[in-house]
Amino acid sequence: MQDITDLSALALSTAIAERRLDCRSVMTAYLSRIEAINPRINAIVSLRPAETLLAEAEAADRALAAGDYRGWLHGIPFAVKDLAEAKGIVCSFGSANYADFVPDYDDIQVERIRAAGTIIIGKTNAPEMGLGSHSYNPVFGVTRNPYDTTRSAGGSSGGAGAALAAHLLPVADGSDMMGSLRNPAAFNNVVGFRPSFGRVPSLGTELFLGQLAVNGPMGRTVADVAALLATQAGYDARDPLSLADEDLSPDMQRDFSGARIGWLGDFGGYLPFEPGVLELCRSSLDVFRRLGCAVEDVAPGFDMAALWQTWRTLRHFLVSNGQAADYADPARRARMKPEMIWEVENGQRLSAGDVYAASLGRSEWYRYVAGLFERYDFLVLPSAQVFPFDAGLDWPKSIDGRSMDTYHRWMEVVIGPTLAGLPVAAMPAGFGANGLPAGIQIIGRARADRDVLSMAARYEKATDWLGRHPQF
């Protein structure tokens, strides 16, 4: 008999709705697995008391018996990424400066997830203020990879990715500025989806300039990811840049025969890769060929070094100003990670002209990519430049002999879709000779989220990688 924690989120939802499973049994199964495995990987933090969670599960059962079905997440355990506010639960942002912060409100997507019937059990771990794709912080420590607990789970949605891979959660939320839904999906052999900018509204303090980061879903199947996205997404007047409501449900049977796939690879040798990663990701192109797609390499056509400088300027600008108050307080500054201080101090040196020039550079990149979509239906890139690395490192200092000059240079492969604001499905690409997973980014046209999900669903169906799980 299949274990409860092995069920997909949608299968679990159906079993609860049809009363083949009760919510208390589901909660008991997940709490038992968390107790057994979480100490080894540290994916879930701020776990609420078991007796409270079981009481809430029993209340969900009583509601269902009374005909009060609250939504597809009714009674399903859920842990919110520790960069998003959930009412009544510590939201540390992975920072010692916020270790005691308990919000009295939900962010918009959390509000919607809760309204769909879920029981929020706690948080998933993340790096300090989301900086870097390695989920360690001074509040909760490091999250380890379920496939090899000596390795990183990635980040900043590393706790979510590891919890999914270890079946500590059926589905999870995440966020992504610089690959934070994509790197951990690759590192943990799960699915991540970076939606179009504005697809998932947020209560962010600054509402107009911060057009890099997005919230989005992660899961063990594309169908689960699409279901959570449908819950998270949709217009909200509190977010002036949020997109209108739209049907995002993927066409699971869509015929992609003749679809044109452009492989960006390493941008003509510009990006370094750990040996084995690029080759593994390239081999995944055979999946598209089996689906009847035409696949070809995209010749280099943009100054990627200039794009990196564009990225640095815009990131410095946003991070520096967002963290300015903490930096201005010497006591709080002393508790900030060195990479945060580096971002702030670089941002303080920027002029308005620098930021405007970077915005022009970003606009040029968007126009270039839009031109590529006149020739291709989807673009494909690796999701990460390395396999999961030593969890004891702060970040990889070199790749294949090439020195990384910043704490995030090793993850440069993800900046292109972010800067263009495009929808991206992070999908598995298989496992290396070291037994560690890698993944690819399936990138769609502007706001073509449904098309990307549909392609991801067909890709998933043509592979068996998501059926491979870590052993505990």
Side-chain angles (χ1 to χ4, degrees), residues 91-106:
C91 185
S92 77
F93 306 102
S95 167
N97 285 324
Y98 296 93
D100 299 321
F101 171 55
V102 180
D104 59 0
Y105 60 94
D106 289 334

Side-chain angles (χ1 to χ4, degrees), residues 72 181 271 379:
W72 80 278
L181 284 159
L271 292 175
L379 300 173

Side-chain angles (χ1 to χ4, degrees), residues 48-124:
R48 298 172 62 212
E51 58 272 21
T52 302
L53 295 173
L54 290 170
E56 291 181 9
E58 291 169 357
D61 283 325
R62 290 193 298 272
L64 195 58
D68 179 15
Y69 181 64
R70 295 167 183 168
W72 80 278
L73 289 170
H74 188 108
I76 291 179
F78 196 99
V80 176
K81 183 176 177 180
D82 201 26
L83 299 184
E85 296 89 352
K87 184 177 180 179
I89 304 174
V90 169
C91 185
S92 77
F93 306 102
S95 167
N97 285 324
Y98 296 93
D100 299 321
F101 171 55
V102 180
D104 59 0
Y105 60 94
D106 289 334
D107 193 12
I108 295 171
Q109 58 128 4
V110 178
E111 180 181 280
R112 292 175 172 181
I113 290 167
R114 200 190 293 272
T118 194
I119 298 173
I120 297 178
I121 64 172
K123 291 300 202 74
T124 54

Side-chain angles (χ1 to χ4, degrees), residues 369-379 422 443-445:
V369 174
L372 292 181
F373 280 114
E374 294 176 3
R375 304 201 305 272
Y376 304 106
D377 298 299
F378 300 94
L379 300 173
L422 301 177
I443 308 160
R445 293 181 174 89

Side-chain angles (χ1 to χ4, degrees), residues 128-360:
E128 182 179 332
M129 308 309 291
L131 293 189
S133 190
H134 181 24
S135 296
Y136 72 95
N137 61 65
V139 183
F140 297 112
V142 63
T143 296
R144 298 177 177 274
N145 195 300
Y147 286 91
D148 180 344
T149 57
T150 70
R151 305 292 181 121
S152 170
S156 61
S157 307
L164 288 167
H167 290 200
L168 308 187
L169 294 173
V171 70
D173 74 303
S175 57
D176 186 311
M177 183 184 196
M178 192 180 180
S180 292
L181 284 159
R182 293 166 280 165
N183 280 162
F187 277 18
N188 293 283
N189 190 48
V190 296
V191 179
F193 188 76
R194 179 189 164 95
S196 297
F197 182 81
R199 184 68 68 198
V200 177
S202 176
L203 288 175
T205 304
E206 193 286 307
L207 295 176
F208 292 98
L209 295 178
Q211 297 184 39
L212 292 179
V214 300
N215 292 317
M218 298 183 75
R220 303 185 215 150
T221 71
V222 172
D224 286 353
V225 164
L228 183 58
L229 178 64
T231 300
Q232 296 171 301
Y235 176 74
D236 190 292
R238 291 168 290 180
D239 184 343
L241 301 183
S242 58
L243 300 179
D245 295 354
E246 184 178 331
D247 179 9
L248 301 173
S249 56
D251 181 351
M252 309 298 278
Q253 305 302 323
R254 181 169 164 184
D255 183 2
F256 283 100
S257 298
R260 301 160 298 170
I261 307 295
W263 167 246
L264 296 170
D266 60 0
F267 292 100
Y270 171 76
L271 292 175
F273 282 82
E274 180 180 345
V277 173
L278 189 63
E279 296 81 0
L280 184 60
C281 292
R282 179 182 280 276
S283 71
S284 73
L285 297 175
D286 287 340
V287 178
F288 297 100
R289 294 188 181 99
R290 294 199 299 271
L291 294 173
C293 302
V295 181
E296 64 178 62
D297 291 358
V298 178
F302 197 88
D303 185 344
M304 300 306 293
L307 190 69
W308 175 249
Q309 293 308 313
T310 290
W311 169 259
R312 276 194 53 174
T313 297
L314 294 174
R315 185 174 170 94
H316 287 327
F317 167 66
L318 292 172
V319 174
S320 176
N321 286 283
Q323 303 302 316
D326 285 347
Y327 180 84
D329 182 331
R332 297 178 75 81
R333 185 193 314 156
R335 293 191 288 268
M336 295 167 72
K337 67 192 294 186
E339 293 81 5
M340 177 67 76
I341 292 173
W342 176 81
E343 292 277 12
V344 172
E345 292 179 348
N346 274 278
Q348 290 178 339
R349 290 191 282 268
L350 295 173
S351 68
D354 294 329
V355 176
Y356 184 74
S359 186
L360 290 178

